[in-house]
Amino acid sequence: MVPPPVPRETPALTAPVPLSDEERARLLAGAHHDPHALLGAHRVTGGVRLRVLRPYADRVTVEYDGGRVRLVPEGDGLFAAVLPLREIPDYRLRIRYGGSGEDGDRRGEDGAGEIVTADPYCFLPALGDLDLYLISEGRHEELWRALGARVMTHRGVTGTRFTVWAPNARGVRVTGDFCLWDGTAFPMRSLGSSGVWELFVPGVGPGTRYKFDVCGADGSHTLRADPMARRTECPPATASIVEESEYEWGDARWMAERGRRPAHAAPMSIYELHPASWRPGLGYRELAEQLPAYVKEMGFTHVELMPPAEHPFGGSWGYQVTGYWAPTARLGTPDEFRALVDALHRAGIGVIIDWVPAHFPKDEWALARFDGTPCYEHPDPLRAEHPDWGTLEFDYGRREVRNFLVANAVYWCEEFHVDGLRVDAVASMLYLDYSREEGQWSPNEFGGRDNPDAVRFLQEMNSTVYRRCPGVVTIAEESTAWDGVTRATHETGANGVGGLGFGFKWNMGWMHDSLVYMSKDPVHRVHHHGELTFSMVYAYSENYVLPISHDEVVHGKGALVSKMPGDWWQRRANHRAYLGYMWAHPGKQLLFMGQEFAQGAEWSEEEGPQWWVLDAGWPASPDHRGVQHLVRDLNHVYRDHPALWERDTEPAGFSWMEANAAEDNVLVFARYAADGTPLLAVSNFSPVVRFDYRVGVPDDVERWEEILNTDDERYGGSGIDNPDVLKAEDTPWHGRSTSLVLTLPPLATVWLGPAA
């Protein structure tokens, strides 16, 4: 085809009225709230006024159907003309930079050459009124579709819509790769009282790096990463990246079935890991190839990933987040993170992520004083400053901030298909005086120490997630006795407040007490027996997860096996017995990586688990492999016996057989499935074999057999067991009409079930 002739360029016929000095100064300083009123095409007396801001350009020409007019330079990168037209035409800009020839050499916008583009200032806002209304009300549950960078086709032109919430800014400009990081030419417009700024930039697509140049309330400028960025540069670089997912999920069956059984009545055995150090050097793609196979073979039902969101300091392990909407680029792209979740789902493994809405870092390029004023943080310094971590706390009473966090929780569940959110540091959110001395905190409006804004936020977050995302669970790391953490939000407790609405709560009390007991030499455990039995006093006050998490194996606390007393054999035996007791105790289980094979050193994020202790060349490798085999069998036997998980939250699912044998260091209890089938757990936390040890048993089972013994030689134990089927005797014991006579291995837990 013969291309249509290019209209001959003509000079501007009429010079426009110049900008006032004040308008010009504000525009060039990036402090104008409505640059679209000054730039682009507007009908005026005598025609259509067109003004363009393109610093460093030699020439700007406007092309439209039947016309091509060179604009008149006005200085400082401004070009303008009045076109002799009655209506605003569809037009394009031809912009020439230094070094381009008269032949229109188009070498890209790199400081030399010529580009042809649509005018960003000819477009109406690409954000709808409903979006703005929901944002203003703090009720936009899909906030990530409205704010941030979104590739789209607007009025037939492909580009990226940039939007950002900066309610007190004088002006905002978008800058990035597409303008050589000089945002002068791309000021954004304010969309009124919503506090949102918007600009559609033609030609910008996925992979483009960008930031916002924010002119604060005091007139100072800061270059900010996008709070809503869905992809970031790899730290220490801090730019945001335009992102559009192209991932095709393969987990439809998992997503359809995950909510069919209530989580409280389903098996849940969680393997917690730090993705960057599980096997150092692996990215999301490599993890997707290796992690599901290992977790499935070990029998865990879920993984819990330490915070995957972007964070500037690797040593924070992800708990100081700057990019709430972007998986960390250290390990790959967002779609590669999706591939990891997908692979775990296809292996039958649920994915829980750590989520950190309690605080954020003070980095000047991130959220802190985003528009020159306290924006995401509380305006009261006594409420904003977090004393423990040198960070800032969110202002949960501000509806836009609450919306930012609630929508973010939904985002991870819907966009990345995660199955659970473990919410970090809930106690620090609930109490205004958390880690603060007198005079370092201000009370709430009622004079109390609790934070009603945080309570309302957590209730809204949980209600929204459970309503929108069937099968997802939320888990609170809450270290106090706050009433109703896992109570429904509409049910009022003794404190007069509705429940927080979490699905589960970490049982920090059980973790602390049981580890204190296990750290004692067996001869002294008689004095600490109550620290093991006390957990059953409150076991059904909340829905609990029993955590042995990363927090217990860092900062000088030592690995789990190193907390145990005695020589190497006794430490491993204690370790195994403790895990057997933990897996049988009411509640779901969580175990941090490396503890499943009893590594001796505490965790280091630089080195990761000590996988080398499992190598055949390591002298103690059989010992470590024995513990690993035990954890694998614990998980598989656990999943096969509903008595251990089906009635976790029902008192009728548990009964003590013997809770008071402190002198013997022995505990005996039964768990019951929904159909009444029992499982008996017997723990002997003494290093001596107890022969002919009689225990009461549920009355309706005549024959019992061992189904798991942590002293098995395969696990590194001494091999003392009860090999034969055991017949219940009509000898009353422990308040039961029947009993068994057992041999209790040293430092071991034995599970017994009805014999076939």
Side-chain angles (χ1 to χ4, degrees):
M1 292 180 60
V2 178
V6 177
R8 190 166 63 89
E9 182 180 302
T10 60
L13 301 178
T14 307
V17 176
L19 296 175
S20 69
D21 291 344
E22 187 267 341
E23 295 273 36
R24 183 186 185 99
R26 287 174 57 202
L27 178 65
L28 294 176
H32 203 290
H33 70 288
D34 189 13
H36 289 68
L38 309 181
L39 303 176
H42 299 268
R43 293 172 61 184
V44 296
T45 301
V48 173
R49 185 200 70 207
L50 185 66
R51 179 170 281 114
V52 174
L53 175 58
R54 287 288 169 147
Y56 315 113
D58 292 340
R59 177 192 300 174
V60 177
T61 302
V62 58
E63 296 178 350
Y64 55 93
D65 187 17
R68 184 178 184 190
V69 177
R70 184 186 305 178
L71 304 186
V72 177
E74 296 184 314
D76 298 316
L78 288 164
F79 298 81
V82 175
L83 309 181
L85 303 172
R86 292 184 178 182
E87 301 293 337
I88 298 174
D90 290 332
Y91 67 93
R92 298 187 303 171
L93 301 177
R94 184 177 293 271
I95 305 167
R96 194 183 76 173
Y97 292 89
S100 62
E102 292 296 328
D103 60 352
D105 176 25
R106 296 175 61 187
R107 283 174 278 168
E109 193 164 341
D110 57 0
E114 189 173 76
I115 67 166
V116 178
T117 179
D119 184 359
Y121 297 92
C122 75
F123 296 95
L124 293 172
L127 194 63
D129 290 341
L130 178 59
D131 287 314
L132 292 173
Y133 171 77
L134 293 173
I135 291 170
S136 297
E137 292 293 309
R139 296 291 180 182
H140 204 308
E141 294 178 1
E142 297 182 356
L143 191 64
W144 67 94
R145 302 188 191 280
L147 296 183
R150 177 67 64 178
V151 177
M152 62 191 309
T153 299
H154 187 32
R155 289 181 52 191
V157 177
T158 300
T160 295
R161 180 195 67 199
F162 294 96
T163 47
V164 64
W165 179 66
N168 296 309
R170 290 190 185 181
V172 181
R173 298 184 289 203
V174 62
T175 184
D177 292 336
F178 57 91
C179 60
L180 296 178
W181 293 93
D182 183 342
T184 306
F186 296 96
M188 305 172 73
R189 66 177 144 208
S190 170
L191 297 181
S193 61
S194 66
V196 174
W197 299 75
E198 182 263 359
L199 183 67
F200 175 75
V201 182
V204 172
T208 302
R209 298 181 304 152
Y210 70 99
K211 281 189 176 183
F212 295 115
D213 175 1
V214 179
C215 180
D218 62 355
S220 63
H221 284 259
T222 55
L223 201 58
R224 300 282 181 159
D226 183 358
M228 300 290 300
R230 290 173 290 124
R231 184 178 174 189
T232 68
E233 284 189 293
C234 185
T238 59
S240 305
I241 299 177
V242 178
E243 169 70 4
E244 287 298 304
S245 175
E246 297 180 350
Y247 190 75
E248 296 183 6
W249 289 91
D251 63 348
R253 181 176 179 182
W254 170 273
M255 295 294 287
E257 295 180 353
R258 70 178 181 181
R260 291 185 178 177
R261 183 197 294 268
H264 314 88
M268 182 180 287
S269 175
I270 305 167
Y271 183 59
E272 186 194 20
L273 68 140
H274 180 242
S277 68
W278 182 68
R279 286 182 176 161
L282 301 188
Y284 296 131
R285 287 289 184 185
E286 294 79 15
L287 285 168
E289 295 171 357
Q290 299 184 31
L291 181 62
Y294 178 75
V295 175
K296 184 174 183 178
E297 197 273 335
M298 289 298 296
F300 289 97
T301 66
H302 292 72
V303 296
E304 180 177 316
L305 308 178
M306 291 168 69
E310 193 59 271
H311 50 283
F313 176 48
S316 76
W317 312 329
Y319 291 99
Q320 295 193 6
V321 179
T322 50
Y324 274 83
W325 306 79
T328 179
R330 293 172 175 85
L331 304 182
T333 68
D335 275 356
E336 288 172 339
F337 180 75
R338 288 180 173 91
L340 171 59
V341 176
D342 199 359
L344 287 161
H345 282 174
R346 285 184 278 111
I349 299 160
V351 179
I352 300 167
I353 65 167
D354 280 7
W355 186 57
V356 192
H359 63 120
F360 59 92
K362 297 180 180 179
D363 301 72
E364 63 179 9
W365 51 268
L367 298 181
R369 296 184 65 86
F370 185 79
D371 61 7
T373 66
C375 193
Y376 290 90
E377 66 270 39
H378 201 284
D380 180 353
L382 293 180
R383 293 199 185 185
E385 293 281 341
H386 198 294
D388 287 349
W389 304 311
T391 53
L392 297 171
E393 297 186 16
F394 285 101
D395 182 2
Y396 305 108
R398 188 166 191 170
R399 59 183 180 271
E400 297 94 342
V401 175
R402 194 166 59 245
N403 191 177
F404 176 86
L405 293 170
V406 171
N408 185 248
V410 173
Y411 170 78
W412 286 97
C413 299
E414 293 190 354
E415 290 292 317
F416 295 103
H417 290 197
V418 302
D419 308 291
L421 302 172
R422 178 268 193 184
V423 183
D424 183 64
V426 171
S428 74
M429 302 163 65
L430 293 174
Y431 299 99
L432 296 169
D433 62 346
Y434 184 87
S435 286
R436 294 173 171 90
E437 302 296 332
E438 186 175 352
Q440 296 179 335
W441 63 282
S442 55
N444 62 33
E445 57 267 40
F446 308 108
R449 60 191 286 257
D450 60 294
N451 188 343
D453 293 334
V455 171
R456 287 189 287 269
F457 156 65
L458 291 170
Q459 291 174 328
E460 181 180 346
M461 181 277 297
N462 281 311
S463 298
T464 305
V465 167
Y466 277 101
R467 171 171 51 82
R468 288 188 61 119
C469 310
V472 169
V473 297
T474 59
I475 305 169
E477 186 214 13
E478 202 286 305
S479 55
T480 73
W482 183 277
D483 179 53
V485 173
T486 61
R487 191 170 61 235
T489 57
H490 64 276
E491 295 180 1
T492 302
N495 59 1
V497 178
L500 297 183
F502 284 94
F504 293 97
K505 171 181 173 175
W506 272 19
N507 194 336
M508 312 293 280
W510 170 87
M511 177 273 298
H512 175 268
D513 292 347
S514 64
L515 289 180
V516 167
Y517 177 88
M518 294 304 300
S519 70
K520 304 299 181 183
D521 189 280
V523 72
H524 300 302
R525 286 175 176 167
V526 60
H527 307 296
H528 297 271
H529 193 75
E531 295 186 67
L532 275 192
T533 59
F534 180 65
S535 61
M536 290 310 304
V537 173
Y538 61 87
Y540 301 104
S541 62
E542 303 279 6
N543 305 325
Y544 284 116
V545 171
L546 311 181
I548 298 298
S549 73
H550 66 277
D551 280 333
E552 304 315 310
V553 295
V554 291
H555 299 322
K557 296 179 183 178
L560 181 59
V561 73
S562 70
K563 299 176 189 290
M564 306 299 172
D567 59 23
W568 174 232
W569 189 94
Q570 291 175 322
R571 287 188 173 194
R572 287 183 293 115
N574 275 298
H575 184 103
R576 295 191 306 268
Y578 179 69
L579 294 179
Y581 154 78
M582 172 181 173
W583 255 250
H585 191 286
K588 311 306 182 184
Q589 297 79 38
L590 179 143
L591 189 66
F592 185 59
M593 64 182 191
Q595 313 317 301
E596 78 273 21
F597 55 82
Q599 74 170 50
E602 67 179 23
W603 171 58
S604 161
E605 78 274 8
E606 296 178 352
E607 299 178 5
Q610 295 179 312
W611 297 106
W612 48 268
V613 302
L614 300 171
D615 294 342
W618 181 248
S621 65
D623 301 338
H624 295 282
R625 288 190 178 276
V627 176
Q628 187 182 45
H629 292 158
L630 169 66
V631 173
R632 178 194 61 198
D633 289 354
L634 281 171
N635 279 324
H636 287 287
V637 175
Y638 164 80
R639 295 173 76 162
D640 290 342
H641 288 78
L644 292 172
W645 44 263
E646 206 166 32
R647 302 171 80 182
D648 261 334
T649 60
E650 302 175 30
F654 174 93
S655 65
W656 283 115
M657 300 292 116
E658 174 56 272
N660 300 310
E663 295 286 344
D664 297 337
N665 303 150
V666 170
L667 288 174
V668 186
F669 57 83
R671 300 292 308 280
Y672 300 91
D675 65 1
T677 301
L679 182 144
L680 194 67
V682 184
S683 293
N684 175 21
F685 291 114
S686 169
V688 300
V689 181
R690 300 200 180 278
F691 296 99
D692 300 324
Y693 199 89
R694 186 174 292 275
V695 299
V697 295
D699 302 336
D700 54 353
V701 178
E702 296 183 357
R703 292 156 49 88
W704 296 80
E705 63 181 350
E706 277 191 7
I707 56 177
L708 186 138
N709 184 335
T710 68
D711 192 51
D712 194 298
E713 289 181 345
R714 292 182 299 127
Y715 310 142
S718 60
I720 295 173
D721 60 4
N722 297 272
D724 301 320
V725 171
L726 302 165
K727 190 176 187 314
E729 301 177 3
D730 293 330
T731 302
W733 208 260
H734 295 154
R736 303 285 171 166
S737 61
T738 60
S739 57
L740 293 177
V741 176
L742 303 174
T743 298
L744 304 188
L747 298 175
T749 293
V750 177
W751 294 354
L752 301 105

